Amino acid sequence: MSSDPGLFQTIYTTRALRRFKPDGVPDAVLFQLFDAAIRASSGQNAQDWRFIIIRDAEVKRQLREWAMEGWSRYSARYGSDEDIQALPRNQRLSLLSVRDLAMHLETVPVIVAVLGMKARHSTPGGSTFPAVQNFQLAARAMGLGSSIFNLPMREQLNGMLGIPENNQLYCLIPLGYPTDNQGRLNRKPVKTVVYNERFGEPWPFAEGQPDDGWSDRWAPG
Ligand SMILES: Cc1cc2nc3c(=O)[nH]c(=O)nc-3n(C[C@H](O)[C@H](O)[C@H](O)COP(=O)(O)O)c2cc1C
């Protein structure tokens, strides 16, 4: 197990990582991630999130097929392969990592399906995604990488995983030991998304902060 980098460094450096070494994820490590995930809050403390660990080769093969269909539709909006190659660097690299994940989904060590109860909460997903965030941060703290990957999601997946009618599939999380590095995140500055008292009113303190916030403190370099 790698040493925990600490909360703020973890938050400031947890990227969506989509390429993995073939190494499996030990059950004790997975347990730690789920045990952290279920510490999250949920409406009325309902805790009706459910998680399915997928390691079966045949299920992953099917997911790959669906992911590739999803990729064809998704990438079409960017045009041809040459058009994608001509995109700005960050966008191109991010898209190519999505494509690589779809292409190699079969070889991802673990895929976690995340479920919640249908129609139970007034903010759908609001009682599930806090657990997803805990899971991803815990994964990063333990030297793993993950992302949310919904390209393979479709109705048939519910049948394949035996998901009951009253549950909803919220997302899939491919997980493993990454080959890419964690690192600084590309985010809009606080001053552009946080207002003072009324929508649109600048918050003077944030106006005086660097555009990349306090990344230098927690994710130097
Ligand atoms: C609700 C949700 C759905 C997402 N769906 C996908 C997806 O289908 N495919 C994918 O590659 N990434 C997906 N992501 C990951 C985001 O694209 C990624 O976190 C974002 O681009 C920021 O990347 P970064 O954290 O590496 O900076 C999703 C994230 C969230 C929160």
Side-chain angles (χ1 to χ4, degrees):
M1 285 183 195
S2 64
S3 59
D4 185 340
L7 180 64
F8 279 92
Q9 194 187 333
T10 303
I11 289 174
Y12 276 71
T13 59
T14 302
R15 297 172 52 210
L17 294 186
R18 303 185 176 93
R19 299 186 187 95
F20 306 103
K21 298 175 188 164
D23 316 35
V25 182
D27 278 332
V29 173
L30 264 185
F31 185 87
Q32 177 64 86
L33 305 188
F34 287 117
D35 207 30
I38 61 149
R39 306 293 143 185
S41 71
S42 58
Q44 298 170 324
N45 205 15
Q47 305 173 55
D48 47 24
W49 41 58
R50 297 290 182 269
F51 306 91
I52 303 175
I53 299 168
I54 301 170
R55 292 193 270 214
D56 182 84
E58 184 48 35
V59 174
K60 288 197 286 184
R61 195 202 56 71
Q62 179 62 74
L63 289 175
R64 176 196 185 270
E65 199 178 306
W66 290 334
M68 288 306 289
E69 287 170 21
W71 166 253
S72 301
R73 277 196 304 277
Y74 177 68
S75 62
R77 72 177 80 160
Y78 296 96
S80 64
D81 280 356
E82 284 103 68
D83 294 328
I84 291 178
Q85 291 301 339
L87 290 170
R89 187 172 183 276
N90 279 351
Q91 201 181 357
R92 173 168 43 91
L93 293 181
S94 160
L95 261 182
L96 292 179
S97 77
V98 174
R99 184 196 64 184
D100 284 0
L101 178 55
M103 283 173 69
H104 301 291
L105 202 56
E106 254 173 299
T107 65
V108 172
V110 181
I111 301 170
V112 175
V114 182
L115 318 170
M117 287 290 273
K118 261 187 200 158
R120 160 100 196 238
H121 302 282
S122 56
T123 47
S127 285
T128 304
F129 280 102
V132 171
Q133 182 74 3
N134 271 11
F135 183 92
Q136 293 197 268
L137 293 176
R140 187 265 179 271
M142 297 195 66
L144 288 130
S146 70
S147 68
I148 293 175
F149 191 58
N150 290 342
L151 286 186
M153 295 231 301
R154 62 208 56 222
E155 195 58 37
Q156 296 107 294
L157 187 49
N158 290 3
M160 188 165 76
L161 299 178
I163 296 171
E165 191 51 37
N166 60 357
N167 270 248
Q168 179 176 341
L169 183 58
Y170 277 110
C171 68
L172 298 170
I173 309 178
L175 173 80
Y177 292 95
T179 55
D180 292 327
N181 294 327
Q182 299 284 4
R184 215 162 154 134
L185 304 167
N186 182 17
R187 297 293 186 262
K188 295 174 185 169
V190 169
K191 67 183 171 202
T192 66
V193 296
V194 180
Y195 304 131
N196 196 30
E197 306 290 354
R198 281 180 67 80
F199 193 95
E201 284 300 317
W203 176 27
F205 184 83
E207 295 285 314
Q209 302 308 313
D211 277 356
D212 206 12
W214 293 351
S215 286
D216 279 346
R217 195 179 291 181
W218 302 109

